[in-house]
Amino acid sequence: MSDEVLEAGKLPPALLAEVLVTGRPVPPELLLPPTVGEDAGVVAVQGGALIAASDPVTLTGQDVGAHAVLVNANDIAVMGARPRWFTATVLLPPGTTDNEVRALYRRMHEALAALDAVLVGGHVEITDAVRRTVVVGHMMGLREDGGFARTAALEPGHVVLQIGPAPVEGAAVLAAEAGAQLEGRVAPAMLAAGAGALTDPGISVVDAALRATALGATAMHDPTEGGLSAGLYEMAETAGIRLVVARDAVLWYEPGRAMAKALGIDPWGLLASGALLAAFPAGTAEAALATLTAEGFSCAPIARAEAGHGVGFQSGGDVPRFARDEMIRVVSADG
């Protein structure tokens, strides 16, 4: 057993899998226990299946109330449920003003209202344990039919659609945290687009995920930290299959890609909320793609599942993989 010092970012998958094991029998009401690569857990309740997820926002201090709502809502939606109830632990650094607190909660409530979800509790305090505002969100939703989607349901022959471009979330955070570095290095219009990217085009995949569920998606995943690359690898490894990616089919958010290039980081590994990965059986993927496109979703088939392991390009070579999100290189360099 090693005592290796860990880098900032997600835990290595093997370590995470190790610490999630409780050593106790899984109770029957826990339909989906904590699992590497799954976006949420599922508990059987009298009214159906309760979907619960938790995610923090730590890489930016800007608009974190709304940001936390959106990324947690995505994790519920990719399980096929509508986000309903939200709790938030809000940690504020010394020097925070009362108007800053009001603004954070106003934006949080606005984001919840847009989803028809509600704040049901949480905790807030000012503490010198943080240097900037940190919000740890917890979202829940209910599937009254007791069903739910899961990443592990991906099978050979399935087609993975990308719904929404990447890296939208990365663009928003780069504009907030590295705006001064980017001035003069990217077009002003690109920087302005990134500054508003949290809401336009937005990082919510709730509508897309619920629509994909209705169209028969068998597995969905919300790529966040580690970018589009991490999302694809997590899908492949959780399901025990190989994904073959059509490089030219990937939908890119050009402001995010331009900012990444200017900073010398790779958009494949950059925060990617706003892009949904949804898998469909080969026989239904084309119809689902046509319907989603007709309904105004930006959508493309970017990968096919097959027997094997890993994530590679059709043209050869592996999709690049990142030990931590590329954003951390920028945040660490900045401070």
Side-chain angles (χ1 to χ4, degrees):
M1 182 178 295
S2 69
D3 193 21
E4 180 183 352
V5 175
L6 301 171
E7 293 186 341
K10 285 187 175 182
L11 287 181
L15 177 58
L16 179 58
E18 176 189 332
V19 299
L20 290 179
V21 176
T22 66
R24 301 167 54 199
V26 176
E29 71 274 12
L30 187 53
L31 302 180
L32 181 60
T35 305
V36 177
E38 297 289 358
D39 292 275
V42 184
V43 180
V45 296
Q46 187 172 3
L50 181 70
I51 318 294
S54 179
D55 248 330
V57 175
T58 59
L59 293 177
T60 180
Q62 183 167 319
D63 208 9
V64 286
H67 199 148
V69 168
L70 295 171
V71 296
N72 280 280
N74 287 350
D75 284 345
I76 300 301
V78 298
M79 308 295 284
R82 181 171 292 281
R84 297 273 299 276
W85 307 287
F86 187 66
T87 69
T89 296
V90 180
L91 304 178
L92 303 159
T96 300
T97 68
D98 53 359
N99 280 338
E100 287 171 335
V101 175
R102 291 187 183 100
L104 185 152
Y105 274 89
R106 181 179 66 251
R107 288 286 294 126
M108 184 187 295
H109 289 304
E110 288 172 355
L112 287 165
L115 296 169
D116 197 24
V118 64
L119 182 69
V120 298
H123 175 81
V124 58
E125 68 175 86
I126 295 172
T127 172
D128 60 9
V130 297
R131 294 178 297 168
R132 60 179 162 207
T133 301
V134 171
V135 178
V136 182
H138 310 269
M139 185 71 82
M140 292 168 283
L142 184 69
R143 276 283 297 260
E144 294 179 352
D145 62 1
F148 57 93
R150 58 179 300 179
T151 309
L154 183 63
E155 296 180 357
H158 287 185
V159 175
V160 177
L161 304 185
Q162 179 187 347
I163 308 173
V168 175
E169 184 182 16
V173 177
L174 284 176
E177 300 299 322
Q181 294 173 251
L182 288 163
E183 286 185 4
R185 302 170 70 179
V186 297
M190 291 284 191
L191 192 54
L198 201 68
T199 53
D200 181 18
I203 63 169
S204 175
V205 300
V206 171
D207 288 344
L210 295 178
R211 194 68 188 99
T213 298
L215 292 170
T218 53
M220 292 181 287
H221 197 41
D222 171 36
T224 53
E225 192 172 343
L228 197 59
S229 166
L232 290 164
Y233 274 100
E234 287 166 357
M235 288 190 86
E237 291 171 358
T238 303
I241 53 86
R242 177 173 176 79
L243 284 174
V244 179
V245 178
R247 188 196 298 262
D248 293 340
V250 171
L251 302 174
W252 292 110
Y253 181 58
E254 288 306 323
R257 192 152 67 158
M259 291 183 209
K261 181 179 180 181
L263 293 170
I265 59 178
D266 194 327
W268 276 98
L270 189 58
L271 293 165
S273 282
L276 172 68
L277 298 174
F280 292 83
T284 64
E286 187 174 347
L289 174 65
T291 299
L292 289 164
T293 301
E295 293 177 357
F297 292 99
S298 176
C299 190
I302 66 164
R304 181 177 292 273
E306 60 181 38
H309 303 282
V311 182
F313 291 115
Q314 279 183 352
S315 55
D318 290 337
V319 171
R321 191 167 194 177
F322 305 85
R324 56 183 187 160
D325 194 281
E326 288 285 84
M327 182 63 64
I328 294 175
R329 293 174 54 194
V330 177
V331 173
S332 298
D334 192 46

